[in-house]
Amino acid sequence: MQQFNVVVLGAGGVGKSALTVRFIRDEFLENYDPTIEEEYRRPLMVDGELTSLEVLDTSGAEQFTSLHEVYIKSGRGFILVFSLTQETSLKEVDYLRKQIFRIKGNDATVPIVVAGTKLDLVNEREVQTNTIQSLASRWGLPFYETSAKRNWHVNDVFEDLVRQMRRRYPPTRRRTERRCIIM
């Protein structure tokens, strides 16, 4: 079974922990409790193949953003989270996307998925679908609109990322060679 580490990044209060906990434990966190750093593990079956994910839920608070570089260096896949109810949170996603490419190399094969949260809050929505479609096209990244509360499209985000990581980091086969040594 392949193992991958995933880093969840985004501004504070956008729903990174709610998205992560919904995926890991199938629970919705009703109350907002600022995260410093939480690490979770979960096996995931994607396309008939089992994968083990180690998911790092990071802080969006400004005093911890210096840690992002450390997280990015060690991460193999990234979920960039913004809130559909907060258009300014898209700026942080763009900044993080650029930071990932700066650290990992400007390589289109870096596994990244962008997730807009709080899809269920229709009356509070600020980010329009055409804005998302335009950015997805320009950035060349998959975007998902999700709701951790209603469990809408949460697994899609992680499954897409697993598929990208499998393409980017194919399993290495260890061959045991038998050699004949003549002395």
Side-chain angles (χ1 to χ4, degrees), residues 97-165:
R97 180 187 66 86
K98 289 174 181 171
Q99 193 176 22
I100 290 167
F101 287 134
R102 181 180 57 78
I103 293 168
K104 293 288 195 184
N106 201 358
D107 183 355
T109 64
V110 176
I112 300 174
V113 173
V114 182
T117 58
K118 306 180 185 181
L119 179 60
D120 56 298
L121 300 179
V122 178
N123 295 332
E124 298 174 40
R125 185 172 181 139
E126 290 183 6
V127 181
Q128 300 309 313
T129 302
N130 59 354
T131 302
I132 294 169
Q133 290 169 340
S134 172
L135 287 174
S137 175
R138 197 165 71 228
W139 293 350
L141 297 174
F143 273 69
Y144 289 89
E145 294 184 3
T146 69
S147 169
K149 186 173 192 172
R150 303 275 185 233
N151 199 15
W152 294 339
H153 311 292
V154 173
N155 276 8
D156 297 341
V157 169
F158 289 88
E159 289 172 7
D160 188 319
L161 191 62
V162 165
R163 288 183 187 102
Q164 288 184 52
M165 289 187 295

Side-chain angles (χ1 to χ4, degrees), residues 23 37 81 99 112 136 145 178:
F23 171 71
E37 175 186 310
V81 182
Q99 193 176 22
I112 300 174
E145 294 184 3
R178 294 179 185 210

Side-chain angles (χ1 to χ4, degrees), residues 25-79:
R25 297 194 304 235
D26 196 23
E27 296 175 2
F28 176 67
L29 296 178
E30 193 68 50
N31 299 320
Y32 174 60
D33 185 19
T35 304
I36 294 175
E37 175 186 310
E38 293 288 335
E39 191 173 85
Y40 303 94
R41 292 182 193 277
R42 178 185 158 189
L44 180 63
M45 184 70 72
V46 178
D47 302 329
E49 193 176 324
L50 194 60
T51 302
S52 176
L53 291 184
E54 182 179 287
V55 181
L56 182 65
D57 178 18
T58 66
S59 173
E62 274 188 49
Q63 66 262 37
F64 298 108
T65 55
S66 60
L67 292 172
H68 287 172
E69 190 163 330
V70 174
Y71 299 145
I72 292 168
K73 282 180 181 175
S74 65
R76 290 188 119 188
F78 303 91
I79 298 174

